[in-house]
Amino acid sequence: MAANSSTGSATEPPGLETQWREIDNLNQQQLRAGDSWYLLDKRWYDQWKEYVHTGDQNSSSYPGKIDNTELYEDLDSYHLKERLTENEDFVLVPAEAWHKLLSWYDMMDDQPPLERKVVDLPSTVKVEVYPVEIYLCLSSNLESTVSARFSRADKIHAIHQKIRQHFNVSETAESRLWMRNTDTSSERLRNLNMTVLDTCLSSGMTVIMEIRNADGTWPTSRPQIMRNSADEDSYQGPPGVCGLTNLGNTCFMNSALQCLSNTPPLTEYFLKNSYLEELNFTNPLGMKGEIAEAYADVIKQMWSGRHYSVVPRVFKTKVGHFASQFLGYQQHDSQELLSFLLDGLHEDLNRVKKKEYIELRDADGRPDQEVAEEAWRNHLRRNDSVIVDTFHGLFKSTLVCPQCNKVSVTFDPFCYLSVPLPVSKERVMEVFYVSLDPTAKPTQYRLIVPKAGRVIDLCTALSQATGIHPSQMAVADVFNHHFYRIYQTDEFLSCILDRDDIFVYQLSSGCVDQDGEEVVMAIYMRERSHYRDYGSGGNSYGTSLFGHPLLISVPRAQCTREDLYQLLLKRLARYVRPLDPSEEVEEEEEEEEEELYKAQTNGVSDDEGEEDSKEAGPSKKKEETQESSQTEEQNNCQSEASPSSEGEERAEEEELSSEPDRGSSTEEGQSACGSTDTNSQDATDGDQSAGAEPSGKEEEDEDEDEEEEEPASCAQANKRLPGRRRYTERRKKALFTMQAVNSNGTTERGMGETDGSFSFSSQPYIAIDWDPDMKKKYYIENEAEKYIKDQSMDVPHQQTTVQLQECLELFTTVETLEEENPWYCPTCKKHQLATKKLDLWSLPEVLIIHLKRFSYTKYSREKLDTIVEFPLRDLDFSGFLLKKTVNSTEPPCRYDLIAVSNHYGGLRDGHYTSYARNKDNGQWYYFDDSKVTYAREEQIVTSAAYLLFYQRQDKIRQPTIPPPIPSSTQPENHISSQTCDGMDGAASCVSMETD
């Protein structure tokens, strides 16, 4: 459609300054959902801005007619090019600004305006540059389709009108629309006032119009639209034996759906299309029938017998649309999904179209039978659906005021029973105990501690097994070779998970305070790389943690390098080989100071100096030392010093001794005080290395006696390297160096060295740095990893087992309300912590029992892995029902199991599966997402059972077909194979997901 066909020729534009002011002001307006904005070619718009800013209407920069030629893919279809970028290829202007520009400048002939809608997406409001392209057709000819583009803000009514116009459908003809996606399944587009976005229409989908026949029938049935001939040819299995593809952490949904799918009365209700007549589109509490229809689609596909596995993507989208907590692909609870789904199905299928207000009455001493019947009648006046018929029961709630003894009795409906599990007050924990004895291996203990206890209780239990006082113990969580957390004795044990690696260290004395005479040090083991790491802007050596960390208590008076070094040698004696006696000799090593040299040369050195500055490891240092020792003059220089330079040299030695290089080492091992590169990150961070370091005045006096006047040859040697000083230091070799680090063992810190000892303002973490060669030669890795098991580990850990009847008894036990949920007493006129008791009055046809495995208290959060022994047949509730059988017409109280939802894992992660009994053949199956296998009855009762589905025996129908016999040739009785297709397959092909 040409632009000027409707707008006529251009009108006389106002002045250039006025044009700019009007358009610029209009461009400042905010985006509002449903508004129209227009695309303008960026070059034309820039030309117009240049024109109006010249102030000359006769300027050569006059832009001419609006020309969007560069934005079109071709001039026949006028489709917009793909991947156009705003403010590079085009600009967006609001509708009012567009119409002003169009009236002032007109538009190129035959070019349609590029109008786009503003859409309100879940996370943002934006102009929809690329609308949805949908294929349109009639049900009488599915092969003849046309494409049309619609905004996500357009209503389905616009699509309806577009089909009518294109296919010349009479306005009086009655029609309905269907949406078919790429999975060949279809759903009814019932609400024409919904937007394209809300109906989940996306590009590539097809919208089909069906026209009613003259005799009132519909020519095309829904199953015909959904039929897939490939499925019919490939699989004809038992109905209902069908997997559900995992869309990404949706096993919780699949598990609940499989249980409901194998609930006979509900499934037959949908398979017989009984729901079509009861869809409630006006219920404000419902989902306009969409949840019911989406659920029906899944059930019909699963029970068609034509699919190995169904992809419930549309159902998942609908659930997320109406319950935002299920949006995305996060982990959720199958019971929460089941609760939402049953409530949603009830409201969508509620036979009560208009709910009346009903004022509830208290019992006031009336008989229970009368009050219960009144409560059930009132419930049915507002709630009447297949969900109520199948799942709803009635229980009695009795509240007693502790002050005035007021008794309040009410009867309330329920859809499922959430029964508590008996909670043990004790807990089994496994820890590793590290003794002070350096020759003793760590010992693993299995301890029984109070579940609501503290860390001191853990230490007390371990004390009974070891004989060590609890005050001499430190408890820590070790993860990835470092301390993830060091616990205080007053912390709750609930913060320690069963999978944590807990180490308990014996300390040399008890009650170590931060300001006491002893300090507790965390010791890490690190291995240095051979090369410096220049990638992060520094030139320090890369390190990696290894082995098990230690916790030791050290007297503050002994926090010197030499004392710490000797103490650690003793603690590591079991798996660190000592130096050979032949290697424990004093050795000379040349030290070089380059700070003055660098300062004098402004950081620029000759080739020799540059080579020194790029030194990467101990080998080059060793070669330099050997070369210098071969020169007699340099040997004299190293052993002698002139009186005039003696004091200066000693001062420099003292200065450098406080910052020795962490990176240098001798031929056999890393030195305690190597050469210092003052231009490196090591010198900047400050040295924390330690070893058998000579100190004090004694050795200085010894060197003083040997020093004589400096020979001329030594002076000549020094002249060859201006600003560089050479000297020799004598000390013993060290196996490793020490470095203060952060709690992760990565960032190096200063050790606060004062007068040869260290001071720490907080928990000190010390890293023992090993040279790779020294670690290989002296560190015995196999020995370091060894540990022994205490006899307590040989006692098998027996899982707690309870009967389902015990859980039901707990459910009906009297309890006192919590402070967060008091009851308002009408007599006392205030909130009271009343006692509450629940009793079962009447039970539904299908009873869902929710085992409350997830325990949440103000002190702890845990999942209970207690095995609940539940019967598969003849579950008798007669002992729990208050309502006694009056006559023979009352239903019995015996139930048989039909389905189980399982949860494997813990609080943070896990996986849902299900067991279910097929209503047609009576065979049990195990459903694990898209995988389905035969199941034996003895496999069903496990510690993972979470939701139990029971059906009353008088309603159970005998199997209509004989159960299949599992073939011995089928591995693991496999039935439905997993389908790996894109995201669905990636999720479903994982046998154990994080969910």
Side-chain angles (χ1 to χ4, degrees), residues 326-392:
F326 297 113
L327 276 174
Y329 300 93
Q330 303 299 318
Q331 54 185 343
H332 294 286
D333 190 330
S334 66
Q335 187 270 334
E336 293 178 359
L337 185 279
L338 179 68
S339 177
F340 162 78
L341 182 55
L342 290 177
D343 185 65
L345 290 175
H346 161 65
E347 296 296 353
D348 271 359
L349 302 170
N350 198 343
R351 303 177 186 112
V352 179
K353 306 303 179 182
K354 186 176 181 180
K355 295 185 178 183
E356 56 181 310
Y357 173 75
I358 299 175
E359 185 174 353
L360 300 179
R361 295 172 54 196
D362 200 357
D364 290 333
R366 292 181 295 163
D368 286 350
Q369 182 74 24
E370 177 185 342
V371 179
E373 290 178 356
E374 179 185 80
W376 186 250
R377 286 195 305 268
N378 291 337
H379 180 60
L380 293 181
R381 288 165 64 184
R382 294 175 55 86
N383 303 278
D384 183 15
S385 69
V386 65
I387 303 299
V388 175
D389 299 340
T390 307
F391 298 100
H392 282 205

Side-chain angles (χ1 to χ4, degrees), residues 753-995:
E753 188 172 0
T754 306
D755 299 331
S757 62
F758 305 121
S759 60
F760 304 97
S761 59
S762 60
Q763 170 68 59
Y765 293 85
I766 306 298
I768 296 178
D769 286 346
W770 288 83
D771 179 84
D773 296 332
M774 295 293 284
K775 176 177 176 288
K776 182 178 181 181
K777 187 173 182 179
Y778 295 101
Y779 184 83
I780 310 172
E781 189 165 0
N782 291 338
E783 182 65 26
E785 297 296 325
K786 288 181 180 179
Y787 69 98
I788 59 178
K789 290 188 176 183
D790 181 71
Q791 60 182 4
S792 61
M793 297 296 298
D794 298 330
V795 179
H797 176 48
Q798 296 182 348
Q799 205 165 15
T800 307
T801 301
V802 300
Q803 299 297 319
L804 179 59
Q805 284 78 0
E806 296 179 52
C807 302
L808 294 172
E809 289 173 0
L810 276 177
F811 176 77
T812 57
T813 300
V814 178
E815 63 178 357
T816 302
L817 298 179
E818 297 180 351
E819 294 181 1
E820 295 81 6
N821 187 31
W823 170 66
Y824 183 80
C825 177
T827 303
C828 299
K829 304 297 182 181
K830 63 179 180 179
H831 289 89
Q832 300 282 7
L833 299 181
T835 59
K836 180 179 181 180
K837 188 178 189 301
L838 294 177
D839 292 291
L840 298 176
W841 181 261
S842 63
L843 298 177
E845 176 183 346
V846 176
L847 176 63
I848 303 175
I849 300 178
H850 167 220
L851 302 178
K852 298 172 68 174
R853 293 195 175 275
F854 298 101
S855 173
Y856 301 97
T857 68
K858 62 177 66 176
Y859 303 108
S860 65
R861 298 179 59 190
E862 62 177 332
K863 185 203 171 184
L864 305 176
D865 288 325
T866 305
I867 297 178
V868 178
E869 295 280 359
F870 51 88
L872 273 64
R873 297 179 184 85
D874 295 326
L875 176 59
D876 189 1
F877 276 93
S878 58
F880 296 96
L881 278 179
L882 286 182
K883 180 182 179 181
K884 304 303 179 183
T885 302
V886 178
N887 51 54
S888 58
T889 61
E890 293 290 334
C893 301
R894 293 185 179 272
Y895 287 78
D896 288 352
L897 188 73
I898 58 174
V900 180
S901 175
N902 304 306
H903 178 269
Y904 299 92
L907 284 174
R908 297 181 181 177
D909 50 31
H911 182 62
Y912 285 93
T913 64
S914 56
Y915 288 105
R917 178 181 177 270
N918 187 275
K919 68 181 183 65
D920 292 339
N921 58 30
Q923 170 67 44
W924 280 92
Y925 296 93
Y926 180 66
F927 298 89
D928 185 357
D929 288 331
S930 57
K931 182 180 179 181
V932 184
T933 55
Y934 293 103
R936 301 186 303 273
E937 290 188 353
E938 57 268 24
Q939 297 175 316
I940 297 173
V941 179
T942 68
S943 62
Y946 185 46
L947 297 173
L948 310 178
F949 287 68
Y950 280 94
Q951 186 176 13
R952 205 166 59 219
Q953 285 183 345
D954 67 313
K955 294 293 185 178
I956 295 179
R957 190 182 60 186
Q958 294 301 317
T960 57
I961 58 177
I965 300 176
S967 173
S968 59
T969 60
Q970 290 179 311
E972 299 181 358
N973 298 331
H974 184 71
I975 298 175
S976 296
S977 59
Q978 293 177 327
T979 56
C980 296
D981 181 17
M983 182 185 70
D984 303 336
S988 63
C989 287
V990 179
S991 60
M992 187 68 176
E993 66 177 33
T994 299
D995 190 30

Side-chain angles (χ1 to χ4, degrees), residues 123-333:
S123 58
T124 184
V125 177
K126 61 182 294 186
V127 177
E128 183 184 41
V129 177
Y130 292 97
V132 179
E133 184 171 3
I134 301 173
Y135 296 96
L136 312 175
C137 67
L138 297 177
S139 60
S140 57
N141 188 359
L142 300 179
E143 302 300 325
S144 177
T145 62
V146 295
S147 65
R149 297 192 176 194
F150 298 93
S151 167
R152 290 171 178 81
D154 285 339
K155 295 185 177 180
I156 301 301
H157 182 74
I159 301 178
H160 188 267
Q161 290 301 111
K162 187 73 174 180
I163 298 178
R164 283 187 178 274
Q165 293 173 6
H166 189 275
F167 293 101
N168 297 320
V169 178
S170 171
E171 292 290 339
T172 59
E174 186 179 353
S175 61
R176 63 181 184 180
L177 299 182
W178 298 86
M179 175 179 68
R180 183 172 65 186
N181 57 28
T182 55
D183 296 324
T184 69
S185 62
S186 301
E187 67 172 307
R188 174 88 173 275
L189 293 176
R190 187 176 307 275
N191 190 348
L192 299 184
N193 291 319
M194 292 184 65
T195 63
V196 172
L197 176 66
D198 291 337
T199 54
C200 305
L201 272 170
S202 58
S203 294
M205 288 187 177
T206 303
V207 175
I208 306 168
M209 175 176 282
E210 187 177 10
I211 304 172
R212 189 185 294 273
N213 295 326
D215 59 0
T217 62
W218 294 101
T220 307
S221 65
R222 188 174 189 180
Q224 289 177 328
I225 297 178
M226 296 169 55
R227 183 172 296 131
N228 188 328
S229 58
D231 285 337
E232 291 179 354
D233 298 337
S234 61
Y235 182 71
Q236 281 290 343
V241 184
C242 176
L244 291 169
T245 301
N246 193 318
L247 305 175
N249 283 340
T250 57
C251 60
F252 73 96
M253 180 184 75
N254 294 345
S255 176
L257 284 176
Q258 290 289 3
C259 292
L260 285 179
S261 170
N262 287 278
T263 301
L266 185 64
T267 296
E268 291 173 359
Y269 172 83
F270 280 95
L271 292 180
K272 294 177 181 178
N273 290 333
S274 301
Y275 74 99
L276 291 176
E277 298 178 358
E278 296 184 347
L279 285 170
N280 190 334
F281 301 108
T282 60
N283 186 356
L285 300 179
M287 288 79 174
K288 306 298 184 289
E290 295 183 35
I291 287 294
E293 288 196 326
Y295 177 77
D297 285 347
V298 174
I299 294 300
K300 288 184 177 182
Q301 293 178 55
M302 293 175 66
W303 287 84
S304 67
R306 300 197 301 264
H307 306 285
Y308 284 108
S309 179
V310 169
V311 182
R313 182 178 290 109
V314 175
F315 177 80
K316 167 70 171 61
T317 303
K318 293 294 184 185
V319 169
H321 180 75
F322 290 105
S324 58
Q325 66 267 31
F326 297 113
L327 276 174
Y329 300 93
Q330 303 299 318
Q331 54 185 343
H332 294 286
D333 190 330

Side-chain angles (χ1 to χ4, degrees), residues 28-35 37 92 118-119 124-127:
Q28 305 303 319
Q29 70 183 45
Q30 299 294 320
L31 297 177
R32 292 181 303 179
D35 286 355
W37 286 60
L92 291 167
V118 177
V119 294
T124 184
V125 177
K126 61 182 294 186
V127 177

